[in-house]
């Protein structure tokens, strides 16, 4: 999957537009559009910003790890990304619930 495809998938997964991503991150809409339409790649600071916003690693964003070798299916990957993007309080609640389930 190319970087533009990955970014489009993330926008779809998070149910946001390029303009909303721009407003949330401070990255100009023209820059985001250039990544998607012209196949440009983000600079170091933009990579950091995107990783923080989407709750993913730079390896995932730049597709440096081989996801196909992962034991996780697409639904599990989506849940993991959602968990990483959630506020700490929500993450702690999910961990608590799962701990209770596993203790039974």
């Amino acid at each position: 999957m190319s970087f533009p495809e990955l970014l489009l998938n993330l926008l779809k997964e998070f149910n946001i537009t390029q303009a909303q991503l721009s407003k949330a991150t401070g990255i100009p809409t023209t820059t985001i559009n250039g990544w998607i339409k012209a196949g440009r790649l983000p600079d170091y600071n933009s990579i950091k910003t995107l990783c923080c916003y989407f709750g993913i690693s730079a390896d995932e964003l730049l597709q440096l790890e081989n996801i196909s070798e992962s034991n996780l299916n697409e639904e599990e990957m989506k849940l993991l990304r959602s968990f990483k993007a959630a506020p700490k309080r929500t993450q702690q609640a999910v961990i608590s619930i799962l701990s209770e389930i596993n203790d039974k």
Side-chain angles (χ1 to χ4, degrees):
M1 176 182 313
S2 68
F3 179 76
E5 291 171 327
L6 175 69
L7 185 55
L8 285 170
N9 284 344
L10 287 167
L11 292 172
K12 183 178 178 182
E13 184 178 320
F14 280 73
N15 196 29
I16 60 169
T17 64
Q18 291 180 40
Q20 290 168 318
L21 178 62
S22 174
K23 185 174 183 176
T25 62
I27 298 170
T29 315
T30 54
T31 300
I32 296 169
N33 192 49
W35 296 336
I36 293 171
K37 300 287 184 190
R40 294 188 198 111
L41 294 176
D43 62 18
Y44 175 77
N45 288 328
S46 296
I47 291 169
K48 284 179 25 180
T49 301
L50 292 171
C51 288
C52 288
Y53 181 82
F54 289 116
I56 60 176
S57 70
D59 284 356
E60 288 176 278
L61 184 68
L62 299 174
Q63 302 169 72
L64 297 177
E65 61 184 26
N66 190 347
I67 294 176
S68 66
E69 291 180 6
S70 171
N71 291 333
L72 303 178
N73 64 37
E74 187 58 38
E75 183 67 21
E76 291 167 331
M77 291 296 291
K78 184 177 178 181
L79 287 169
L80 183 57
R81 283 193 292 269
S82 296
F83 176 81
K84 288 180 177 181
K88 284 288 184 203
R89 191 169 163 186
T90 303
Q91 289 178 359
Q92 290 169 341
V94 169
I95 290 169
S96 177
I97 291 167
L98 292 174
S99 293
E100 287 178 23
I101 293 170
N102 288 330
D103 289 343
K104 292 183 179 180

